[in-house]
Amino acid sequence: MNSFFAASFFSERLLQTISWTLLHSLWQGLAMALFAGLIMLISKRQKAQLRYNLLSVLMLAFVVGISTTALIEWHFFKSLAHIPSIQYLSASEVSGGILNETQMLQARSWFKTNVQLLRSLFEQNHLLFVGVWILMLSLKSIKMGLDIWSLYRMRWYRTYQPSLYWRNRLIDLAPQSKAKQ
């Protein structure tokens, strides 16, 4: 993807930091969602205030985690260009010729090679990743704004006091339905 447009507004370091932070936020968000589910299961019979406080602490931990990730990516971002490529080892190259050790080294080599491949693929397309994220954030923000406007409109647009009959009827039915207000 051509980074000329994005590079004119943002530095490459900032774009890399944002993209890697967003990528890490996926697994961090998944972990927090699992913790939130666990909190909801454990505190099912507790007061709603306790659940709210626990989930608020969890949300704060998520924000702190994302912020820490962004700071780490900003200050310590380094490319993997200085890391030499890993070669597959044959059984004769491993001291003692132990087959299990060779298989383990080959598996590690395969894993590191594929991780490097995924990392380079992500770094080549980080602008696309950030762009899709910004698009989704914008669409969700617009939807949230429209929902808030809709609630405001439902509450205040063409509202009027019900007639005396319906007010009395509501007062009579409230004890039967066990409604408090």
Side-chain angles (χ1 to χ4, degrees), residues 2-171:
N2 188 358
S3 63
F4 175 74
F5 178 73
S8 63
F9 293 110
F10 305 106
S11 70
E12 185 67 22
R13 183 178 180 190
L14 179 64
L15 288 173
Q16 288 286 345
T17 299
I18 291 171
S19 62
W20 281 105
T21 302
L22 291 175
L23 185 68
H24 286 297
S25 73
L26 295 176
W27 69 264
Q28 291 170 346
L30 178 64
M32 291 299 168
L34 291 174
F35 284 133
L38 188 63
I39 287 172
M40 295 300 286
L41 284 175
I42 291 173
S43 65
K44 191 184 325 185
R45 301 206 186 270
Q46 303 296 324
K47 290 183 176 181
Q49 183 179 7
L50 175 67
R51 277 192 309 274
Y52 178 79
N53 289 339
L54 289 173
L55 292 173
S56 296
V57 167
L58 194 62
M59 182 65 170
L60 181 64
F62 179 68
V63 170
V64 168
I66 296 296
S67 301
T68 303
T69 301
L71 287 174
I72 288 170
E73 287 294 331
W74 179 260
H75 290 294
F76 300 110
F77 180 75
K78 296 176 184 172
S79 70
L80 292 178
H82 66 281
I83 298 176
S85 62
I86 301 166
Q87 302 296 322
Y88 290 101
L89 300 175
S90 65
S92 62
E93 293 173 328
V94 177
S95 63
I98 301 170
L99 187 61
N100 290 338
E101 187 175 337
T102 302
Q103 289 175 343
M104 184 176 72
L105 289 173
Q106 287 177 346
R108 283 185 193 161
S109 174
W110 177 85
F111 179 75
K112 287 183 179 182
T113 303
N114 286 327
V115 167
Q116 288 175 351
L117 177 69
L118 288 174
R119 183 178 177 109
S120 67
L121 182 66
F122 180 74
E123 285 178 356
Q124 290 172 359
N125 297 309
H126 70 278
L127 289 177
L128 179 64
F129 185 69
V130 172
V132 168
W133 181 81
I134 288 173
L135 178 67
M136 295 302 291
L137 179 68
S138 300
L139 292 175
K140 291 291 185 180
S141 297
I142 289 170
K143 184 184 179 315
M144 184 179 65
L146 290 173
D147 290 343
I148 290 172
W149 176 76
S150 176
L151 286 173
Y152 177 81
R153 188 168 190 267
M154 281 191 288
R155 185 169 183 180
W156 298 108
Y157 183 72
R158 292 192 180 191
T159 58
Y160 55 91
Q161 187 76 7
S163 67
L164 183 60
Y165 169 77
W166 286 111
R167 281 185 277 168
N168 290 335
R169 183 80 173 133
L170 183 63
I171 291 170

